[in-house]
Amino acid sequence: MLDGILQGLSTAVSPINLVMVFVGCFAGTFIGMLPGLGPISAIALMIPITYGFDPATGMILMAGVYYGAIFGGSTSSILINAPGVAGTVATAFDGYPLAKQGHAGKALAIAAYSSFSGGTIAAIFLLIAAPALASVALSFQSADYFALMILGLTAVSAFAGKGKFLIAILMTMLGLMLSTIGQDQSGIQRFTFGAIDLIDGLSFLLLAMATFALSEALMVVLKPEAKSKEAEEATKGNLGSMKISREEVKDLAPVVARSSVLGFFIGVLPGAGATIASFLAYGMERNFASAKEKLKFGKGSLRGLAAPETANNAASSGSFVPLLTLGIPGSGTTAVMLGALISYGVQPGPRLFVENPAVFWSVIISMYIGNIILLVLNLPLIPYIARLLSLPKQILTPLILFFSLIGVYLVSANTMDIQIMVLVAIIAIFLRLIDFPLAPMLLGFILGGLMEDNLRRSLDIYDGEISFMWERPLTASILAITAVILLAPMIKGVLDIRRNKALKVNDGEG
């Protein structure tokens, strides 16, 4: 193993590979900022370019584009509420309110530091435990994945304001229903209404862009907000202080540590990915927050910004575990990278780090270098990137509309997607006007398809019996944790009522 690491280190620090890390990170950052393009398109375009390269060099370039895009996707989420990639949707929940309050500089700086920390911690985990984690990933079966998705749905409470839990549940149900549109596992069409364009279902990017970017741009036109002094300063191009105080660092350090671990292990599981990791990290942090801190979530919480940004970068590093050690792509992006590896004549799997240690270890070590490059690249650019806020609304709003519509069209090249997107945006505006949260709908949509697929497989294995939910210890453990998370607020509420009654009785006696 040590020989392999040393071989990977010498490969990663060669001049050509250092240049490739820089080029990949630079290209990925800007691709991530453009709504709709995403790392999949960029990596697919890179494959013909890398054919003349050594396999290690080609993989280092594509890995740089991948985590560079996740790193850069937060910028458009924070500044214009238009997530560049799906993994940065949760970043917009608190990043955009911070930018509107005149703290764009601090929001972008926290996103940069959190991304760096998450990516670096995950790269360390990857270096130490990649072969061992492959066996952990293999031990997960369909029943465990189903239980994990149920656990993921408990994060819905993170997106519910006070007294709006039932509304958040309704929106989650709407997301679950939307995820059933299209063709199921047995090839039966559902809710397509005879339209061929709906056979593959709705795109997550389409929903995210319609509910956030497009509806936000239209809301600006329909309902111009009275600007506070902070918002006026923000639109003048004053990005606010980029400085993070010592108290804020102390407050965010445990958030980054927890989200790094969670994000990495979610990334290790094939099929989970950065988007689910970011939503789960956001929900986890809100559940851990004090009652006072919970009120800040969705309105500019620093914890709510740091958690998803850390988790999505940690997950993108973690997703290389199943790719390199098992040959299983954990996401669409790593599926493209798997195809590239095979086209180089390299077979990913358990023997990759024995037969091709230069490829295996150089990609992992390049992640350390890439995270440093991304931090060095992004921090000096923050003042210039934040100038986007100084654009007049008459220019910025059409730009958001353009990038939203073109971004979705570039992914599918289907005009019906544009029509659906506009329809979803109109419904989203109505829901926002009556104060219904949209984030639970996206959470339900993300988890819905995965839940159904794994439930079907589990029922097939257990001959239609639901005993799979308690027969496997791992499945039962995950469901028990879910029950505890769901019951904890109810138990706390009952205890608080009893405590208040006891205090009133004691006051009366006194």
Side-chain angles (χ1 to χ4, degrees):
M1 182 175 168
L2 184 60
D3 290 341
I5 292 171
L6 292 172
Q7 190 178 344
L9 180 63
S10 63
T11 306
V13 298
S14 65
I16 180 68
N17 287 340
L18 288 175
V19 170
M20 286 302 132
V21 174
F22 181 83
V23 170
C25 291
F26 187 80
T29 300
F30 281 93
I31 286 163
M33 288 179 195
L34 298 172
L37 283 180
I40 297 179
S41 310
I43 289 171
L45 291 171
M46 294 286 175
I47 292 174
I49 299 168
T50 60
Y51 275 147
F53 295 159
D54 179 77
T57 305
M59 285 301 294
I60 285 170
L61 173 63
M62 286 188 281
V65 170
Y66 182 27
Y67 50 78
I70 299 291
F71 201 106
S74 60
T75 304
S76 54
S77 289
I78 291 168
L79 295 182
I80 57 174
N81 204 26
V85 293
T88 60
V89 169
T91 304
F93 299 157
D94 285 287
Y96 183 62
L98 278 168
K100 286 209 299 186
Q101 293 161 19
H103 303 304
K106 179 175 279 192
L108 289 167
I110 288 172
Y113 289 127
S114 301
S115 298
F116 170 76
S117 303
T120 303
I121 291 168
I124 293 168
F125 286 159
L126 198 57
L127 187 68
I128 296 168
L133 284 167
S135 60
V136 173
L138 274 178
S139 70
F140 265 72
Q141 294 183 8
S142 299
D144 308 320
Y145 277 110
F146 174 72
L148 194 66
M149 297 305 110
I150 296 289
L151 177 62
L153 283 177
T154 61
V156 69
S157 61
F159 311 113
K162 193 172 182 181
K164 292 184 181 176
F165 184 71
L166 284 177
I167 292 173
I169 291 286
L170 281 174
M171 293 302 289
T172 308
M173 295 295 289
L174 175 61
L176 289 169
M177 288 190 287
L178 289 173
S179 71
T180 63
I181 294 172
Q183 200 167 260
D184 72 356
Q185 283 181 325
S186 57
I188 296 169
Q189 292 182 30
R190 301 176 301 189
F191 311 114
T192 59
F193 306 103
I196 296 171
D197 297 308
L198 289 175
I199 288 175
D200 292 329
L202 297 178
S203 155
F204 173 71
L205 180 69
L206 183 155
L207 274 183
M209 296 303 290
T211 52
F212 284 88
L214 203 59
S215 68
E216 180 67 33
L218 294 172
M219 282 288 282
V220 168
V221 177
L222 295 171
K223 193 180 175 184
E225 292 180 13
K227 290 184 182 177
S228 65
K229 286 184 180 179
E230 287 179 325
E232 284 175 7
E233 289 298 311
T235 52
K236 284 176 188 172
N238 183 357
L239 75 159
S241 172
M242 286 171 55
K243 189 177 178 182
I244 303 168
S245 69
R246 189 174 293 179
E247 289 74 21
E248 287 169 343
V249 171
K250 281 183 183 177
D251 187 45
L252 294 179
V255 175
V256 168
R258 286 191 294 263
S259 300
S260 296
V261 175
L262 176 71
F264 179 72
F265 282 104
I266 294 295
V268 165
L269 301 174
T275 308
I276 290 174
S278 62
F279 273 87
L280 289 179
Y282 187 89
M284 178 180 74
E285 282 312 316
R286 190 184 179 280
N287 288 333
F288 282 157
S290 63
K292 185 180 176 183
E293 185 65 33
K294 275 181 184 176
L295 298 174
K296 296 180 185 176
F297 275 72
K299 298 173 184 175
S301 166
L302 299 185
R303 288 187 183 188
L305 171 60
E309 267 305 289
T310 305
N312 61 28
N313 276 268
S316 64
S317 297
S319 65
F320 281 85
V321 171
L323 174 68
L324 296 175
T325 58
L326 302 173
I328 299 170
S331 63
T333 309
T334 48
V336 176
M337 294 174 82
L338 174 65
L341 261 178
I342 293 168
S343 69
Y344 297 146
V346 176
Q347 184 59 50
R351 294 195 57 79
L352 178 65
F353 66 98
V354 177
E355 295 172 355
N356 288 285
V359 174
F360 185 86
W361 295 112
S362 64
V363 170
I364 293 171
I365 290 165
S366 74
M367 290 180 185
Y368 291 95
I369 304 164
N371 276 293
I372 294 167
I373 288 171
L374 283 168
L375 193 65
V376 171
L377 262 178
N378 278 266
L379 282 178
L381 288 174
I382 284 173
Y384 303 101
I385 293 168
R387 289 185 187 276
L388 187 62
L389 286 174
S390 64
L391 286 173
K393 292 287 184 189
Q394 295 88 336
I395 298 172
L396 187 58
T397 302
L399 277 176
I400 295 170
L401 291 170
F402 173 78
F403 280 120
S404 304
L405 296 169
I406 291 297
V408 169
Y409 182 75
L410 285 174
V411 171
S412 63
N414 188 342
T415 52
M416 188 170 178
D417 279 1
I418 302 295
Q419 295 164 17
I420 294 170
M421 188 177 175
V422 172
L423 178 64
V424 171
I426 292 166
I427 296 168
I429 289 169
F430 171 72
L431 291 170
R432 287 175 70 161
L433 289 171
I434 59 173
D435 206 19
F436 272 47
L438 296 172
M441 182 185 74
L442 287 178
L443 180 68
F445 183 81
I446 293 166
L447 298 178
L450 291 167
M451 276 179 65
E452 184 187 3
D453 291 347
N454 288 295
L455 176 61
R456 276 178 175 251
R457 290 192 202 105
S458 303
L459 290 172
D460 286 344
I461 293 167
Y462 284 80
D463 297 322
E465 298 290 330
I466 61 164
S467 56
F468 71 86
M469 297 179 76
W470 56 82
E471 283 190 6
R472 281 181 54 79
L474 183 56
T475 310
S477 301
I478 295 169
L479 289 173
I481 292 167
T482 304
V484 169
I485 291 170
L486 287 172
L487 293 173
M490 294 168 63
I491 295 167
K492 185 176 179 293
V494 171
L495 291 174
D496 287 345
I497 291 167
R498 286 186 176 180
R499 193 180 298 116
N500 291 336
K501 281 182 179 178
L503 286 170
K504 284 178 182 178
V505 168
N506 290 334
D507 289 344
E509 288 175 356

